[in-house]
Amino acid sequence: MVRAKPLRDNFGRLIDYMRISVTDRCNLRCTYCMPDGVQLVPAKQILTFEEIVDVCRAAAKLGIRKIKITGGEPLVRRGCPSLIGRIKEITGVEQVTLTTNGILLGEYLDALLDNGLDAVNISLDTLDADRYRKMTGCGELSFVLESLDRAVKSRLRVKINSVLQKGINDREWDDLAKLAQNRPVDVRFIEIMPIGCGKRYETVSGDEVLAALRGKYHATERELSVHGNGPAVYYRIPGFMGSIGFISAVHGKFCDSCNRIRMTAEGELKPCLCYGESIDMREILRSSISEEVRDDKVCEAICGAVRQKPAMHCFESKEQISEDRQMVQIGG
Ligand code: SAM
Ligand code: SF4
């Protein structure tokens, strides 16, 4: 295979990762994401699997190697595992991973494995069943814990994403970290970003959690090996099977190493999570032009989104954030 020249943005950053939202629907109502639901986009306006695969094919030609399927909750969209299988078959795509709240993961795990899923991120903010129900609007914690253990047993690479909220679940940092003690999973603490309902919450800084971790586990050491596609900084605790990661978007600006673009379920290609700018892929995909011209235009649009990537986000000055939708509508 002839490899595409690496795709770089105007700041020299290598862009080889794309996050694709496949739905704006979700079976939970997390307080900082979509506590009251959202105005759903009519199904016709959501990209079809064929359209998503076409975008992935163009992206792979240009140098995108890793694709993350997200949402809303991606597993509520029927056929999600088969979409993953189709993307896995694209020449140039090296890795397809999934972000899920884990509620339906147990049900779809076999199909996801059959379709070649490379890894899964499970979002889990509390280990208290009542608190889980409150924080997610309706979720049943036992489903997520069972899914987690089944996924680990199946030897799928698993990461747990935890968002800590001041005064709500922040005292659980140690219980959550301990999920990595006897399981080969990484637990990552994510700072709440001021996007959508996230603006209403005060984030717990990654540094605070790291200090607490170091206070309890004195031999905690920075780990330099690469764990995935993102900006997490990892630490090892002696005796733990997995590592503890920090994604500190607010307090630790990691834009220098940004490697991604993202596409919403409606086909808007976003250069950066923080700003409202996007390129309408659906219009291109559905225009009456020849397949060849359309493919060229899709490639041009992807290059355009990469070129438009800003140097950095502006989460620290909220008045400059021009993205006003909820995370679930963008694709977290
Ligand atoms: N439903 C799936 C899930 O929960 O994993 C995928 C979509 S969800 C939007 C992806 C991730 O975004 C979750 O881990 C969630 O905790 C996180 N998230 C949502 N809103 C956020 C915010 N304002 N700041 C930081 N993370 C957020
Ligand atoms: Fe749904 Fe994920 Fe948002 Fe929670 S964080 S409401 S599970 S999309």
Side-chain angles (χ1 to χ4, degrees):
M1 182 192 102
V2 182
R3 286 183 74 95
K5 226 169 74 198
L7 190 57
R8 291 197 183 269
D9 71 3
N10 288 343
F11 304 93
R13 296 174 294 200
L14 178 70
I15 310 299
D16 64 354
Y17 177 50
M18 188 166 171
R19 294 177 73 95
I20 298 181
S21 171
V22 296
T23 181
D24 60 344
R25 271 85 173 150
C26 186
N27 48 359
L28 296 183
R29 293 287 178 271
C30 299
T31 47
Y32 52 82
C33 184
M34 54 174 315
D36 310 314
V38 285
Q39 178 80 40
L40 293 178
V41 170
K44 270 198 289 191
Q45 291 179 28
I46 302 281
L47 292 196
T48 63
F49 284 169
E50 283 67 32
E51 289 167 337
I52 293 174
V53 170
D54 283 351
V55 173
C56 291
R57 212 174 275 125
K61 259 197 233 158
L62 293 167
I64 297 291
R65 300 280 159 255
K66 296 167 273 190
I67 290 182
K68 168 87 73 201
I69 300 299
T70 181
E73 171 49 41
L75 293 178
V76 301
R77 182 154 177 192
R78 207 176 310 140
C80 183
S82 69
L83 172 68
I84 287 169
R86 289 172 68 179
I87 299 175
K88 280 283 291 187
E89 281 169 7
I90 296 172
T91 306
V93 171
E94 293 169 2
Q95 203 185 83
V96 183
T97 58
L98 174 79
T99 291
T100 172
N101 59 35
I103 295 284
L104 295 173
L105 181 62
E107 190 177 330
Y108 288 110
L109 186 63
D110 291 342
L112 290 164
L113 292 169
D114 288 348
N115 280 285
L117 182 73
D118 291 294
V120 68
N121 290 358
I122 301 176
S123 303
L124 179 59
D125 300 339
T126 172
L127 295 176
D128 178 291
D130 286 337
R131 189 171 293 143
Y132 187 78
R133 222 168 283 123
K134 279 189 199 127
M135 289 181 74
T136 61
C138 51
E140 178 56 47
L141 177 68
S142 62
F143 288 10
V144 186
L145 295 177
E146 279 162 29
S147 297
L148 165 65
D149 282 328
R150 280 201 55 204
V152 169
K153 261 198 203 119
S154 73
R155 294 177 186 265
L156 187 61
R157 271 191 293 135
V158 179
K159 288 182 183 147
I160 294 166
N161 288 344
S162 296
V163 171
L164 295 180
Q165 293 175 36
K166 279 217 162 103
I168 307 278
N169 63 338
D170 50 349
R171 292 213 188 136
E172 286 196 65
W173 65 268
D174 192 28
D175 292 336
L176 290 162
K178 278 187 189 142
L179 289 170
Q181 191 164 24
N182 299 314
R183 297 176 184 82
V185 303
D186 294 338
V187 173
R188 290 123 49 96
F189 292 104
I190 302 182
E191 291 185 350
I192 298 193
M193 292 176 261
I195 292 283
C197 294
K199 289 188 179 131
R200 298 181 195 159
Y201 292 89
E202 197 185 339
T203 189
V204 177
S205 87
D207 281 351
E208 265 177 71
V209 185
L210 178 59
L213 200 73
R214 286 193 151 137
K216 170 145 190 201
Y217 303 99
H218 301 296
T220 302
E221 257 181 36
R222 174 80 191 267
E223 210 187 346
L224 294 172
S225 60
V226 175
H227 281 238
N229 305 322
V233 176
Y234 286 95
Y235 291 82
R236 281 211 70 77
I237 302 176
F240 274 46
M241 292 176 80
S243 302
I244 310 299
F246 294 90
I247 303 183
S248 306
V250 181
H251 292 95
K253 217 165 189 170
F254 42 61
C255 300
D256 280 356
S257 56
C258 185
N259 60 350
R260 63 199 57 196
I261 49 175
R262 51 182 87 226
M263 186 168 73
T264 69
E266 287 184 87
E268 294 153 297
L269 208 52
K270 278 184 66 65
C272 177
L273 185 59
C274 183
Y275 304 99
E277 281 80 19
S278 65
I279 296 180
D280 187 350
M281 300 297 272
R282 191 182 63 211
E283 195 189 344
I284 302 173
L285 289 161
R286 297 189 181 172
S287 54
S288 338
I289 44 179
S290 74
E291 212 173 294
E292 205 183 339
V293 175
R294 200 195 58 163
D295 289 351
D296 285 349
K297 283 189 179 286
V298 169
C299 285
E300 266 168 41
I302 295 171
C303 292
V306 169
R307 271 196 308 273
Q308 283 175 32
K309 277 185 72 59
M312 57 188 78
H313 67 62
C314 58
F315 287 148
E316 65 287 354
S317 38
K318 289 187 188 162
E319 65 290 347
Q320 284 180 41
I321 302 174
S322 55
E323 178 55 80
D324 55 9
R325 289 172 297 176
Q326 307 290 356
M327 194 69 109
V328 68
Q329 295 169 306
I330 306 165

